[in-house]
Structures are given as C-alpha cells and as structure tokens.
Amino acid sequence: MSTITGKKQLTLIFVLDESNKKILLGMKKRGFGHGKFNGFGGKVEKDETILEGAHRELEEEAFVTTPELHRVGLLLFTFENDPKALEVHVFKTNTYNGEPKESEEMRPEWFSYDAIPYDTMWYDDQYWLPIMLQDKHFIGRFDFKEDQTTIINEELKTIDTELPSEWEL
Ligand SMILES: Nc1[nH]c(=O)nc2c1ncn2[C@H]1C[C@H](O)[C@@H](COP(=O)(O)OP(=O)(O)OP(=O)(O)O)O1
C-alpha cells in the first residue's frame, strides 16, 4: 500500500424521506464516480467550512436546500499509487425545500430503502449506507487499487460517541 501524505476533504449528502422509506440518489454524469449512483457532494472549498460546503453542493447538484444537515459518517478512501487520500464527510437530512432537479453533474432519482441500487454504486456504500438508514453513525476506511474498484483493505465500525472532526493521517 502506498504511503498517504495528504488528503482532500469532500462532502457527501443524502436526502431521506423517512416516513416513506425513500432515499434520493443522483446518477453522476461526469468526473469522478461517473456512471454511479451516489449522494450529492464534492470538494470543500478554501473559504468555507465542511458544513457550508455540504449545503452548497446539495443546492448546486440537486437544486434543493435544507435547514438541517446531520453529520453521520467519516470515511477515508485511498487509491494505490496516489499519496492523497479522500476524506469524505457524510451528512443526511430528512427535510428539504424545492423539488430535486437534474443538474450538469447529477440526475436525481428516489429509491425505496429496499431497492437501493448497490450494484451501480461505489463498492463501499453497501456496507455503511444501511448503518446510516438505521440512524447510527459510522467511521471507515477503504483502500482501493488504481482501478477504483478492487478493494485491498477495508475497516468499518459503527460508533455511539461523537464522530471525530477529521481523519488523523
Ligand atoms: N468510495 C466512495 N464512495 C462513495 O459513496 N462516495 C464517494 C467515494 N469516493 C468519493 N465519493 C464521493 C465524495 C464526493 O461527494 C464525490 C466526488 O466529488 P466531486 O463530485 O467533486 O468530484 P469531481 O471530480 O467530479 O469534482 P469536480 O470536477 O470539481 O466537479 O464522490
């Protein structure tokens, strides 16, 4: 495994309709993770907090806003031969304003909790997304090969205490 010398901070936001047991996912139309369903999100910019970045990405990619985002997970992803890891801050909300609309990056679609398209998502999602849907918090690390698909190493745990604010490398 290559040595990790730095990390990029990213956000990942899930809109839930808890009473109808549905989750809003977006089909990523371009860039990293192209062709996969995922939550909305992206890079945290220099002049904003992680939470501000999460609100901005949700609005830019799905055209919805929310008064509340709950931090539910912290994930670290590494890729073989890439010294920079991705630190992904995962949020959820059950409240939103506006109607989800297709953006340049994402095509939004609602899925029932029992029909989440894990086959068309990042490999790791099938493990931690169910934890989020059970209203629990998680922390995990997944090391991928350069192909961004094959897993070399994985660690995941559900936590009851508060999430750490960042991943100490
Ligand atoms: N293994 C993984 N599992 C997962 O569920 N989400 C992941 C993931 N690795 C990255 N992500 C998420 C985090 C973030 O929301 C998104 C990648 O960020 P971006 O959409 O900003 O990437 P792009 O390279 O398309 O950025 P731009 O070119 O700036 O639009 O993918």
Side-chain angles (χ1 to χ4, degrees):
M1 209 181 303
S2 42
T3 314
I4 300 302
T5 57
K7 60 181 178 167
K8 262 194 253 177
Q9 285 186 319
L10 299 164
T11 58
L12 184 59
I13 305 102
F14 292 91
V15 176
L16 306 179
D17 175 351
E18 283 175 342
S19 43
N20 291 306
K21 296 204 172 341
K22 289 196 165 174
I23 182 167
L24 184 67
L25 299 175
M27 167 49 71
K28 187 95 188 300
K29 292 160 62 180
R30 63 170 199 206
F32 191 67
H34 168 253
K36 292 186 173 75
F37 279 108
N38 206 347
F40 304 91
K43 299 177 193 81
V44 178
E45 287 174 5
K46 281 194 197 74
D47 59 348
E48 66 184 4
T49 62
I50 294 167
L51 183 62
E52 285 166 350
H55 281 282
R56 177 183 52 72
E57 291 282 355
L58 181 63
E59 191 167 5
E60 283 177 7
E61 293 190 353
F63 298 103
V64 297
T65 58
T66 174
E68 45 164 27
L69 279 178
H70 303 287
R71 207 162 153 249
V72 293
L74 179 64
L75 296 168
L76 193 83
F77 299 114
T78 73
F79 299 93
E80 206 170 30
N81 298 324
D82 186 346
K84 266 212 161 161
L86 304 181
E87 179 186 87
V88 179
H89 295 259
V90 188
F91 296 85
K92 70 165 188 182
T93 181
N94 190 39
T95 322
Y96 65 96
N97 300 310
E99 262 316 299
K101 263 203 323 241
E102 182 165 351
S103 61
E104 276 182 24
E105 290 242 341
M106 289 286 212
R107 181 169 48 76
E109 193 172 331
W110 288 100
F111 291 91
S112 293
Y113 286 0
D114 57 10
I116 295 176
Y118 290 116
D119 287 352
T120 327
M121 297 174 76
W122 280 98
Y123 165 86
D124 44 284
D125 295 24
Q126 61 191 302
Y127 299 106
W128 53 259
L129 210 140
I131 303 176
M132 175 180 81
L133 297 180
Q134 288 162 22
D135 238 348
K136 293 182 187 147
H137 294 177
F138 55 90
I139 181 160
R141 171 175 174 157
F142 295 83
D143 299 303
F144 287 88
K145 280 199 170 171
E146 256 179 319
D147 64 7
Q148 300 180 357
T149 307
T150 316
I151 284 283
I152 305 168
N153 181 54
E154 56 188 273
E155 298 159 33
L156 179 67
K157 59 180 183 196
T158 303
I159 57 170
D160 301 323
T161 50
E162 208 175 312
L163 286 171
S165 58
E166 66 171 313
W167 196 289
E168 303 287 347
L169 290 177

